[in-house]
Amino acid sequence: MKIDLTDTTSSKINKALVQGRRAIGTPAVGMVLTLVLVTDEENQYDALKAANEASREHPSRKLVVVKRHSRSPRDRAKARLDAEVRVGADAGTGETVVLRLYGEVMDHAQSVVLPLLLPDAPVVVWWPVNAPVNPAKDALGKLAQRRVTDTYAAEDPVAELTARAEAYTPGDTDLSWTRITPWRSMVAAALDQVACDVTSVEVEGEEHNPSCELLAMWLADRLHVPVKRSVSKGPGLTAVWMETSCGPIQLGRADGSLATLSIQGQPDRAVALKRRETSELIAEELRRLDPDDTYASALRFGVDRLGDGSGSSSRAAGDGGTADGGATPAKSAKPAGAVTPAAMPKKAESK
């Protein structure tokens, strides 16, 4: 069921939500959080589709904030709020309100959103594109316990990571970090199978993909070893090489779906590492609403402290190794410019 409201107010929108619930025979509110999507007209369809799919796992009230920039000075001076209320099958699991803000009301989006938040429920704000430099100081970000950005959509993703590190506030997270959850799990599982010391690491992936930098920073932060970032044709992350005292460990994925895990002295194993949809990433983030200390530690490690891996992979050029788990690379020398264990801050947590 859809209810269109033109030149309306937050009070009328709340009444329309109650009216819609009664019309479809579900007067009770069985939602666990409020998800605020701040986007533009171009990206709102895809973002709302992902949020609706994620709501199957997390029933929520979804508030889509779309700021419409008028062309003429007269229209820009006139404040107006249009809304589209969706309940039932049109809203996934929960309720959806698409808010279109015109004129001066664009600068006061928090005043429109605040009366529509679910009472006594957590609030998550997601910027699919054009996220603020400091989400915690944004007017809408201040309303939320969790703030989700996506540096992959930025003009310069790697520089965006540096800005995110400088402005980090507990509760911030990024979908580029969520994308590497399966990789982090697989790498940790591989290291659990051997009783060896890791001496160096190389992470390979496509250019301008911040997930590669985040994975490299996480490994450097946790293992206290030199980590090199190399560039491949993709898609996404393609390989992780770890040199250990017991021989090399390689996790390679060439097709974005199936990876090969190679450990010295063990047969190669095929593992599922499929690139996930945005809806799966959002659903994962909504499972945990407390601050992600691991993400904060990896982010603050710093992109500039990674080894210089610009250009093609030195392993692919010199050792004949491939990103899809082909030939096993020989142990290489320490990458130039990489972080050494002596330069790493001492950590009290377990590796």
Side-chain angles (χ1 to χ4, degrees), residues 48-86:
L48 183 54
K49 181 181 178 182
N52 282 336
E53 292 176 1
S55 70
R56 297 172 184 172
E57 184 177 340
H58 309 278
S60 58
R61 174 176 289 178
K62 297 169 288 294
L63 305 177
V64 186
V65 179
V66 180
K67 298 181 179 181
R68 298 292 298 270
H69 297 275
S70 303
R71 297 181 179 179
S72 67
R74 180 182 302 174
D75 291 338
R76 286 196 293 269
K78 182 180 179 181
R80 192 178 97 219
L81 170 64
D82 293 345
E84 182 181 333
V85 178
R86 305 178 187 177

Side-chain angles (χ1 to χ4, degrees), residues 26-216:
T26 56
V29 180
M31 292 164 285
V32 298
L33 59 89
T34 303
L35 177 61
V36 182
L37 294 81
V38 187
T39 182
D40 52 24
E41 199 67 64
E42 178 184 358
N43 295 282
Q44 67 93 11
Y45 175 82
D46 291 332
L48 183 54
K49 181 181 178 182
N52 282 336
E53 292 176 1
S55 70
R56 297 172 184 172
E57 184 177 340
H58 309 278
S60 58
R61 174 176 289 178
K62 297 169 288 294
L63 305 177
V64 186
V65 179
V66 180
K67 298 181 179 181
R68 298 292 298 270
H69 297 275
S70 303
R71 297 181 179 179
S72 67
R74 180 182 302 174
D75 291 338
R76 286 196 293 269
K78 182 180 179 181
R80 192 178 97 219
L81 170 64
D82 293 345
E84 182 181 333
V85 178
R86 305 178 187 177
V87 293
D90 294 317
T93 306
E95 301 169 340
T96 298
V97 181
V98 181
L99 303 166
R100 290 183 171 87
L101 283 58
Y102 299 83
E104 296 178 355
V105 74
M106 290 192 302
D107 299 327
H108 305 280
Q110 73 280 7
S111 300
V112 177
V113 169
L114 185 59
L116 301 176
L117 300 178
L118 289 172
D120 302 322
V123 179
V124 178
V125 178
W126 171 31
W127 291 269
V129 293
N130 303 324
V133 176
N134 191 339
K137 290 187 177 180
D138 181 80
L140 287 171
K142 292 178 180 179
L143 302 176
Q145 286 78 37
R146 202 73 190 269
R147 296 164 293 275
V148 184
T149 57
D150 191 356
T151 54
Y152 188 81
E155 187 70 25
D156 188 347
V158 177
E160 190 81 3
L161 284 178
T162 303
R164 292 273 173 265
E166 294 174 352
Y168 176 81
T169 302
D172 292 353
T173 190
D174 197 276
L175 294 187
S176 294
W177 172 255
T178 317
R179 290 184 180 96
I180 64 173
T181 299
W183 282 85
R184 294 192 296 122
S185 300
M186 193 56 60
V187 168
L191 291 177
D192 283 343
Q193 299 179 41
V194 296
C196 308
D197 293 329
V198 179
T199 57
S200 66
V201 179
E202 182 174 340
V203 176
E204 183 186 76
E206 65 182 355
E207 194 175 7
H208 306 304
N209 189 328
S211 295
C212 302
E213 273 73 19
L214 282 170
L215 181 60

